[in-house]
Structures are given as structure tokens and as C-alpha cells.
Amino acid sequence: MSAKETSRAWWRSAVVYEIAAISFQDSDGDGYGDLPGLLQRIDYLKWLGVSAVWLTPIYKSPDQDFGYDISDFCGIDPRYGTMQDFERVRDALHAAGIKLILDFVPNHTSDQHAWFQESRTSRNNPKADWYVWAEAGPNGGPPNNWLSRFGGSGWEWCEARRQFYYHSFLTSQPDLNWRNEAVREAMANVMRFWLDRGVDGFRVDASAVLIKDELLRDNPRDPEADDNTPPPQKYAPVFTDDRPEAMGCIEFIRSVLDDYDERLLCGEVQGKTDRIGHFYGNDKPRMHLPLNFALLDTEWNAIALQATVDAYYNAIPDGGWPDFVIGGHDKHRVASELGEAQSRILAILLMTLRGTPFLFAGDEFGAEQVKIPPDRIRDPFEKLVKGFGLNRDPERAPLRWDDTGQGGFTTGEPWLPLDEDRSRNIEAQRREKRSLLHLYRELIALRHREPCLSRGEYRPRRAHNDIFWFARTLDKAEILVGLNLCREPRLWEWQGRGVTLISTHLDREQDKVEGPMHLRPNEGVVIKLNR
């Protein structure tokens, strides 16, 4: 894709909506969301106005890690339906003008995958080198000190081969050997399988760990680790994460995608903001959108936000396009952290910053962390690394569509408990014009309607007096965004005249305004200046 074509790419003006199908809508009463259920809710997605849906894994899987332990990359798990159900969802999304992005999991498979079943049988079978195998250490134990993210050694003994295999995650998720050209080609064929079926792109899982140190060198102790540090993080992952060779793997993945027109490659990356630029690539392109969680990882005040946004934009290479993510299946629900009033401020911020917004199903109506009783915990992270608040079930709980006992999600027992607050649901907020859900819908429509918000430049202004503000400009158009991040009124010191396009308080909309102006507690305003 040429630079000119990239500048017009659909994902630059898109709003991407992540869906965990298992928690979205159940169609058959078994308590698990599925593809026919998703099909029933496409009218909602069209009403909301999102441009693309990213689906977490729906592939065949033993489901020991939320479907990220895949036993067949090219098959639909029966829990979710059939390939015909997938095609119906794809066609309905496309008919509604919505793109479809799938999770691509290149780092590992399930230990039940046919590839691993063959690889583990001997040291000389055709797939013997398809996974990361190593001899035992001098004492007969693991080859080195590498740890699994889910606790304990990252190495597991295989008696048939008399060797250890490496697993970055569960013992049932052996890591593929991306130094093997046959593995690369096999994963390229997986991509082609779905691209040929009309998928519009991929979100790459765990992209920074695709290659491990060839010398198997021990990771050093993390000098900043203390008693509150989870055991898997006691060592700095110098030789297991973000290796330079991993960038070559991403370049290869991108090269496969680029054989198809207008397809998106986004992905999970690791490291601090100043590292994110590497995932875009230079002479050899990598990702279109390395996913950026900076808004979730900063203090929620005007000064900190000012610094976070500035540092992120400065880290993006020339020609790169930014993105901002406010939720995900591995992230605590932001509404539980900010509260309802400041969640409205976040909505305006997300939809007016320069870059592609990503939100997780439920964020649009302020879904919060759901309380999970100990006997209902499903997340292996919490089961294996206890006491550090790592449980991801609270954000993965099924959506509440209405105020009934099963929340409109299922007629059976939901696989995880629903939010106990029945009043916080989609249908109730659809009826209430002042709801967070309606605010998101109006912001998405405004973003599509105003080219300045989807394509314009970001012009920072100095944060002051608890107000974070900035301008967006395109040609002669200029839009100001002012956000009061405190619970008291504040003076917003801007100059000029304009009209209010949208406000968290709604009663200012379409008002003619003149700066400076007072913002009420927890108020955000978007103003189009007169020219």
C-alpha cells in the first residue's frame, strides 16, 4: 500500500469495538455467548455507529485460557457455532458497513494441536523443531530460569523426547519456534485462510514474545521487584520479551497481509511508550496500529494526561497513525476506576484525540468490574498466581442487556456472573438520552461527521487549573476540546467564539459560546470555532 493509500486507509477514521463472543450474547441457553447470538445484536452495533468489530478467539480450543489455547486455527469451536455461522456474521457486519477483525495468536498453540502432538513424539519427526525444545540443565532441571506468566517455570518436561518445551503462558500452551521457516509458512497459511474468507484484518496477540534468546540466557532479577511484585515478574524478561528478532516476525506477518487490499494489522505490544515506535517499522512496515493503553496507565489528572499524550505522540514515527485503547479483555474496567462522571470525560477524550479509538464491549455504557465469587473463578491467572489482584474475570463477565435475572444475555446460567446492579444495562441507557451510551453514540457520529476530528492535526494547549484541553485543526477548521477533570467548577481560559458541538451535560449543545468560559464539575465540551 502506497503512502497516499495509507493516508486514506479506513482504519484512520474507524472506531473499533472489541467483542468477546463468549460474553456478548447467548442464543441457545447454554450460558456461553456464540456467533448466532452476535448475529442477533448487529443492529445494536449499527445503531451505536462503530466501524469495525474485533473478535477474541472463536477457534477450536480446550478453552483453558479464554480460547487463546488453540487446537485448530482454521476451525470454529462448536461452542460458538459453525463456519456457516461465522460467514453469516461476516456478511451481516459487512452489510451494515462494519469491518471484521480476528485475533491472530502466532506465539503458541494448545498442547492438543496436531502440530504439537506430532512434535512431542520424537526428536526426528517432521515437526520436531516446530516448538521451542531444549535439553535439561546440568542438574536435570529446566534449561534456565525463564518463568511462565502464569507462575512457575516456563519449561515443562516431555518424557517421550527427554527434553523440555517452553511455554510463555500455561503448560498447555507450548510456544512455537518462529526461527523455523516451516512454522512461519504454516502461520502465513492460517492468515490466508481467513483473509480469503473476507476478514478485514488481525489483532496480533503477544507479538513481542515471538522470539526468545537463542542462547537461552538467564533473565536477571528485576531490581525494582518487591514483596508486592507477582512471582512471574520477579525477573526482568530481557531474554524472553521484545527481542530484536521479533520485529522480523512482525514484518513477515505484515508482508502476508499486504498481499491483500485494505487489511489492518494491529497488535498487542509490550514495553513503555518510548518503545512503541519500533512496532510501526521503518523501511520494512510492521503494524499499522500497535495498540496503545497509555490512557489506562496514567494518573487521571490534567498534568499527567498532558504528559502522557505528548510522550505518546512524540514516540510515533513519521507516517505512523496513533490509536488509543480504553478497555480490553485483560484490562480492568475503566468505569470502576473513574466513576460515572469522569467516564463521560474519558468518552469525549477518546473520541476527539487524533488517532483510532478502541473500546471493549460494555465500555460504552459504563460497565464496571463484576464481583466473582471464589467458586466461580475461571481465569487461570488468578488460580495460579493468587493474591495479587490479577483476576481478569471481572472485566470478562457477560454484558447486561436488560434488567432481568439473566440480563438478556442468556436464558440459562451465565458462564460468569452478571453485574449485580441491574439498572446498569444497555436497554435502560438506550431509553435515556442523557446516558453514557447515548453520549458515545453522539460522539461517534460527530467523529464521522467532522473531518477535523477524524483526520485533523492535534494542537496541544497548556493544561492548567485541572483543565486538559487541546485543538484539532484541518485546513481552516478548528475544534477545541476542554475537559474539567475535577469535581469543582473551573475557568477554561480560551479565546474566541464558536458553537458547542457536544457537552457531557448536553444542555450546552448548539449554544453559541465565547471564551473564556466556566466549566461545571466533571464537564467536557467540544467547540467548533467560527472562521
Side-chain angles (χ1 to χ4, degrees):
M1 183 179 290
S2 69
K4 184 176 182 180
E5 290 171 328
T6 299
S7 69
R8 298 174 179 173
W10 62 264
W11 54 83
R12 289 195 170 215
S13 58
V15 175
V16 183
Y17 186 81
E18 180 190 354
I19 291 176
I22 193 173
S23 294
F24 198 65
Q25 179 65 61
D26 174 26
S27 70
D28 57 12
D30 67 356
Y32 294 86
D34 47 41
L35 290 169
L38 172 54
L39 189 64
Q40 296 171 12
R41 297 296 187 180
I42 288 177
D43 282 347
Y44 168 72
L45 300 176
K46 187 175 181 180
W47 174 86
L48 183 59
V50 297
S51 317
V53 162
W54 149 29
L55 278 184
T56 59
I58 53 174
Y59 316 109
K60 287 184 179 178
S61 166
D63 193 34
Q64 296 183 20
D65 182 25
F66 207 56
Y68 285 90
D69 51 319
I70 298 169
S71 56
D72 182 356
F73 287 106
C74 299
I76 301 295
D77 194 284
R79 286 174 305 148
Y80 296 116
T82 65
M83 186 62 75
Q84 290 71 32
D85 291 323
F86 167 80
E87 291 169 350
R88 292 186 189 101
V89 168
R90 173 204 62 200
D91 292 346
L93 286 170
H94 285 169
I98 301 171
K99 306 286 188 180
L100 176 57
I101 300 165
L102 293 186
D103 242 311
F104 179 56
V105 187
N107 179 70
H108 51 268
T109 69
S110 164
D111 61 358
Q112 297 182 29
H113 197 290
W115 297 347
F116 187 71
Q117 291 295 310
E118 182 174 353
S119 184
R120 73 187 308 168
T121 59
S122 69
R123 299 190 185 195
N124 56 9
N125 67 80
K127 292 185 173 58
D129 194 37
W130 277 42
Y131 293 82
V132 180
W133 294 96
E135 302 294 340
N139 63 353
N144 60 26
N145 71 352
W146 295 354
L147 299 177
S148 161
R149 281 165 173 72
F150 290 130
S153 173
W155 296 97
E156 183 73 7
W157 178 253
C158 175
E159 185 63 29
R161 289 183 55 134
R162 304 289 300 172
Q163 281 183 312
F164 283 89
Y165 68 85
Y166 182 66
H167 55 93
S168 296
F169 300 95
L170 294 174
T171 56
S172 58
Q173 293 171 294
D175 281 32
L176 287 162
N177 176 18
W178 268 76
R179 299 182 190 278
N180 186 320
E181 291 296 328
V183 168
R184 294 187 179 214
E185 188 56 30
M187 294 308 292
N189 286 334
V190 169
M191 294 177 66
R192 295 182 186 114
F193 177 88
W194 294 106
L195 291 166
D196 288 342
R197 281 158 180 76
V199 168
D200 299 292
F202 296 103
R203 173 264 187 186
V204 183
D205 179 67
S207 63
V209 300
L210 286 175
I211 291 280
K212 293 79 186 173
D213 181 52
E214 195 167 22
L215 298 177
L216 303 184
R217 287 172 284 184
D218 286 333
N219 280 325
R221 293 281 301 185
D222 187 338
E224 297 183 3
D226 56 26
D227 292 341
N228 296 318
T229 303
Q233 299 171 23
K234 296 288 187 181
Y235 291 86
V238 175
F239 295 110
T240 49
D241 292 23
D242 202 10
R243 300 294 300 165
E245 306 96 315
M247 297 302 163
C249 301
I250 297 172
E251 290 166 3
F252 173 79
I253 291 169
R254 173 67 181 272
S255 71
V256 176
L257 189 94
D258 281 350
D259 287 337
Y260 297 76
D261 293 334
E262 297 186 335
R263 309 300 170 97
L264 169 66
L265 191 68
C266 57
E268 179 184 26
V269 301
Q270 293 174 309
K272 299 179 180 179
T273 296
D274 59 2
R275 288 283 300 155
I276 207 164
H278 296 272
F279 290 89
Y280 284 93
N282 294 308
D283 296 336
K284 293 184 178 180
R286 295 166 187 166
M287 292 182 183
H288 297 104
L289 300 176
L291 297 184
N292 159 43
F293 291 90
L295 292 182
L296 295 179
D297 298 332
T298 189
E299 293 182 62
W300 192 251
N301 62 69
I303 301 301
L305 276 177
Q306 173 181 253
T308 294
V309 172
D310 190 74
Y312 171 64
Y313 281 138
N314 288 335
I316 298 173
D318 292 344
W321 183 251
D323 63 80
F324 289 90
V325 187
I326 64 157
H329 62 277
D330 288 334
K331 297 290 185 180
H332 289 341
R333 289 285 188 181
V334 69
S336 293
E337 301 290 333
L338 297 183
E340 181 179 352
Q342 284 295 311
S343 291
R344 298 172 73 85
I345 295 292
L346 174 62
I348 289 187
L349 178 63
L350 176 70
M351 292 298 167
T352 57
L353 281 169
R354 176 179 168 86
T356 301
F358 283 72
L359 60 159
F360 183 40
D363 289 336
E364 75 275 19
F365 70 95
E368 295 189 4
Q369 296 286 94
V370 173
K371 185 177 180 180
I372 309 295
D375 63 343
R376 296 291 301 275
I377 292 172
R378 303 289 293 267
D379 186 9
F381 214 170
E382 177 65 15
K383 291 180 178 180
L384 296 171
V385 189
K386 298 178 180 179
F388 293 92
L390 300 175
N391 190 7
R392 299 166 296 178
D393 289 340
E395 57 263 26
R396 297 175 174 183
L399 292 191
R400 181 173 279 286
W401 293 90
D402 59 36
D403 62 3
T404 61
Q406 287 90 355
F409 166 71
T410 183
T411 57
E413 178 71 15
W415 75 282
L416 281 175
L418 300 179
D419 188 349
E420 294 178 354
D421 183 354
R422 294 192 181 191
S423 66
R424 186 167 45 235
N425 67 75
I426 291 172
E427 291 307 318
Q429 291 203 18
R430 284 189 74 165
R431 294 191 298 268
E432 173 52 60
K433 298 297 184 182
R434 299 178 66 86
S435 68
L436 178 61
L437 176 59
H438 268 277
L439 178 62
Y440 264 105
R441 183 173 186 249
E442 291 169 12
L443 283 164
I444 292 171
L446 179 65
R447 185 180 178 86
H448 291 321
R449 190 166 64 245
E450 291 285 348
C452 193
L453 291 178
S454 60
R455 296 188 286 113
E457 294 299 319
Y458 170 83
R459 306 294 184 192
R461 299 291 186 265
R462 184 182 178 187
H464 179 66
N465 198 27
D466 295 313
I467 291 178
F468 177 58
W469 68 294
F470 54 90
R472 298 292 307 279
T473 61
L474 181 67
D475 300 326
K476 295 182 179 180
E478 183 171 4
I479 290 176
L480 299 183
V481 180
L483 306 172
N484 182 1
L485 274 74
C486 77
R487 295 179 174 86
E488 299 175 358
R490 289 289 187 265
L491 179 64
W492 178 20
E493 298 180 10
W494 63 278
Q495 302 294 327
R497 296 179 178 179
V499 61
T500 304
L501 298 178
I502 205 163
S503 165
T504 53
H505 289 50
L506 299 184
D507 57 359
R508 288 193 194 270
E509 292 185 14
Q510 303 307 313
D511 281 358
K512 294 180 180 179
V513 290
E514 183 174 350
M517 66 185 292
H518 282 91
L519 295 181
R520 288 166 288 187
N522 306 304
E523 183 175 18
V525 178
V526 181
I527 295 171
K528 188 170 186 177
L529 296 185
N530 295 333
R531 292 296 186 189

